[in-house]
Amino acid sequence: MSSIFTKIVKGEIPSYKIAENELFYAFLDINPLAKGHTLVIPKQEIDYILDVDEDLHAKLWNFAQKVGRAIETVVPCKRIGITVIGLEVPHTHIHLIPINSIYDMDFKKEKLALSAEEFQDLAKNISSAFKK
Ligand code: AMP
């Protein structure tokens, strides 16, 4: 069975898309720790990031770097915090999270409840920044 993220890539379930190319897809995390919290995934469904082959792995981080640069132009923050967890969804994904302190990376924290409009605005602005 396809992962939820494969369904997102195929457009079978909706997402707030940030960027896409032939290999990768970036979209807003639906339960964000911060405004602009983004997930970057390979389109190929590979559960564990350490199983991603070397070439694709390097390209994935390169794509994530560009997405991170776009996020930080839109969301004021000290840094983009970057982490990989993958315990919930078995499809490799990199979390990019605008942060001002280490506590902003605490996944036990209550998630933000953003409106559809807020998600749409963030996705639109980050997506435009990515294309520049
Ligand atoms: P983890 O696998 O532990 O890295 O967590 C999976 C992440 O995916 C969590 O931060 C979820 O909020 C996020 N997530 C799960 N389903 C969706 C979805 N349909 N759209 C966007 N983000 C999602």
Side-chain angles (χ1 to χ4, degrees):
M1 207 183 75
S2 298
S3 79
I4 190 162
F5 290 171
T6 293
K7 289 182 178 150
I8 283 176
V9 169
K10 289 182 176 167
E12 292 169 6
I13 61 172
S15 68
Y16 296 101
K17 183 169 130 180
I18 300 292
E20 174 178 23
N21 69 12
E22 69 283 5
L23 294 174
F24 308 111
Y25 192 93
F27 56 106
L28 293 177
D29 194 298
I30 205 70
N31 289 305
L33 279 170
K35 284 188 175 182
H37 181 166
T38 295
L39 302 176
V40 179
I41 66 171
K43 289 186 173 178
Q44 192 185 344
E45 189 176 321
I46 303 161
D47 176 359
Y48 186 29
I49 194 165
L50 294 188
D51 290 329
V52 175
D53 87 57
E54 203 176 313
D55 181 55
L56 190 67
H57 191 265
K59 287 177 176 153
L60 172 66
W61 284 102
N62 187 258
F63 188 80
Q65 180 181 28
K66 293 186 178 118
V67 175
R69 287 294 187 207
I71 298 168
E72 66 184 4
T73 67
V74 172
V75 181
C77 59
K78 279 195 182 153
R79 297 252 163 159
I80 298 298
I82 302 173
T83 191
V84 176
I85 300 175
L87 290 171
E88 195 185 306
V89 177
H91 185 143
T92 292
H93 51 284
I94 297 171
H95 292 263
L96 301 175
I97 307 166
I99 58 168
N100 294 298
S101 100
I102 191 166
Y103 301 106
D104 297 334
M105 293 290 285
D106 181 358
F107 277 77
K108 295 200 291 297
K109 244 178 41 174
E110 198 176 333
K111 307 301 187 296
L112 294 184
L114 302 181
S115 66
E117 198 182 2
E118 285 175 299
F119 275 118
Q120 276 157 12
D121 280 353
L122 283 162
K124 188 169 108 213
N125 293 337
I126 299 168
S127 174
S128 304
F130 181 85
K131 286 174 189 147
K132 279 185 188 150

